[in-house]
Amino acid sequence: MRDDEGRMELADKIRLLLERKIWSQNHLAKEMRDLASPKERAQLPGLDSMARRIRAHQRGEPVGPVYAELYRRLFARHTELFAPTTVSASEDHIDPLVLAWTVGRLNQRVDRRTLLQLAAVTAAGPSALEPAERLLRALTGRNRPDDQTVKHLEDRTRGFHRLEEHLPARKLYPALLTHIGEISSLLETPRSEDLRHRLTVTAGESAVLAAWFAWELGDRQDAERQARLAGVAAKQTSDVATAACMSGYQTYMTGGDHNAAVTLATNALQRLGDADPATRAWLLARKAEESALIGDHREALEAIREAEDVYATADINARPWTCFVDPTRFASMTLSVYSRIAQEDRAMGASQQVAASVGPSTEIKKLCVVQADMALAHYRLGDVTEAVRYARSSLEATTAMAAPLGWDRLDQVVDEFAGSHVPAADQFRTEYAATHPKTAPPSLL
């Protein structure tokens, strides 16, 4: 009985490691091989065979001494994943409003390890009660909104945009709607013109994310409602960047109409001008991606080269939504364009940049798209084995986050895999068909 219990404990630890690191069994095998001594490595089979054994160990099959020792070292390296203070273990006790404010105050990238620590802190104590209390007094009429109250909401908005890459929409959307409701309530109270302007800008910045979440959750009506709110807020404050951001999100919401997406990006770029370089770089990259998909290689090449020039001097922390376009994500966008328009040297350079920056701390939602882009690029460059490995990693992240953008990218991967006679590619297509959601996100056209 003790042996059976030990095997099940091992199986649970392997499962947790795979889930919380968003690793495939092949990646886990690579990590174990890297920890092995030369003598141990000589006793190990290839990565594919190791991955099959890992799957067997997850089913409770016996583990030999070499694998047992490698598991011990691997678990020791990642002890924080098995502690009770992880996001998965404590997220039911976390107030997303508090966590968003905490993250937003930093206004910098928060990797998964840091998020776990912040989540533990916010779950353990009332670290943000003082500003929340100020907000409550303002909302209940006991105090007029002041600079610090508005800053609290601005910080919280930035935090929601950063949490979007770590947590599924279903966990953040209700709290984000509460946040927007609080902004709306303060807009109805007496305030200076400066505070009203800041609150209205914050409402628009929050609404674009709410529209994105509603679309991810399949709620077209709410997505359109939040998009209208973002548009009204942008118009009242002459905030062309927020309006352009909403159009940028809508380029993903066309139901596969790539021509419409190109038009949306083009019009948004014309309205934006030079107002926000980071948003401009993202929109140019989106125009390039969609142009490549309709076979307009010249337009795609011009747009992605301009995007690279603009991105080189852009501040991705200037607006809340541009935080996701970090060097890794931007490199994956250039990769998706260059690989599709057969610019092999540039595609290889972008692929190397992405590979060097992706790791265990990479945001989960970013992995959905980045790994799918890597899969497409490797397939187009003729490396089907690596393409399948990246596709599996993307599938695991996409399933965990229920991310429509990940499914969209993986649809493209599977379409290209259809031309391969490699068994691993066929097997992935079969697994993907069994996993893919039955319904698609709505089109907002």
Side-chain angles (χ1 to χ4, degrees), residues 91 167-174 213 216-217 400-402:
E91 63 187 10
L167 298 172
R170 59 183 171 79
K171 293 188 178 297
L172 292 175
Y173 188 46
F213 281 159
E216 286 196 313
L217 294 170
M401 293 294 286

Side-chain angles (χ1 to χ4, degrees), residues 15-30:
R15 177 183 57 79
L16 285 172
L17 190 63
L18 292 172
E19 287 180 356
R20 293 175 182 174
K21 287 292 186 182
I22 314 298
W23 285 351
S24 64
Q25 282 92 354
N26 282 77
H27 188 90
L28 177 55
K30 181 180 181 299

Side-chain angles (χ1 to χ4, degrees), residues 200-205 207 228-239 242:
T200 306
V201 169
T202 304
E205 293 172 339
R228 285 195 298 271
L229 171 59
V232 170
K235 185 175 182 179
Q236 287 192 358
T237 56
S238 299
D239 186 4
T242 290

Side-chain angles (χ1 to χ4, degrees), residues 42-105:
Q43 301 177 56
L44 297 172
L47 290 179
D48 287 342
S49 294
M50 287 183 67
R52 285 194 290 273
R53 291 194 185 184
I54 289 169
R55 284 191 284 272
H57 299 156
Q58 286 183 269
R59 295 193 296 268
E61 295 186 16
V63 181
V66 174
Y67 278 85
E69 173 58 21
L70 294 179
Y71 282 130
R72 185 194 66 77
R73 294 175 199 167
L74 192 63
F75 296 152
R77 173 173 286 189
H78 301 288
T79 53
E80 78 282 356
L81 298 179
F82 309 105
T85 56
T86 65
V87 170
S88 296
S90 60
E91 63 187 10
D92 290 340
H93 306 290
I94 292 173
D95 183 346
L97 294 169
V98 175
L99 184 58
W101 174 73
T102 305
V103 170
R105 288 173 64 206

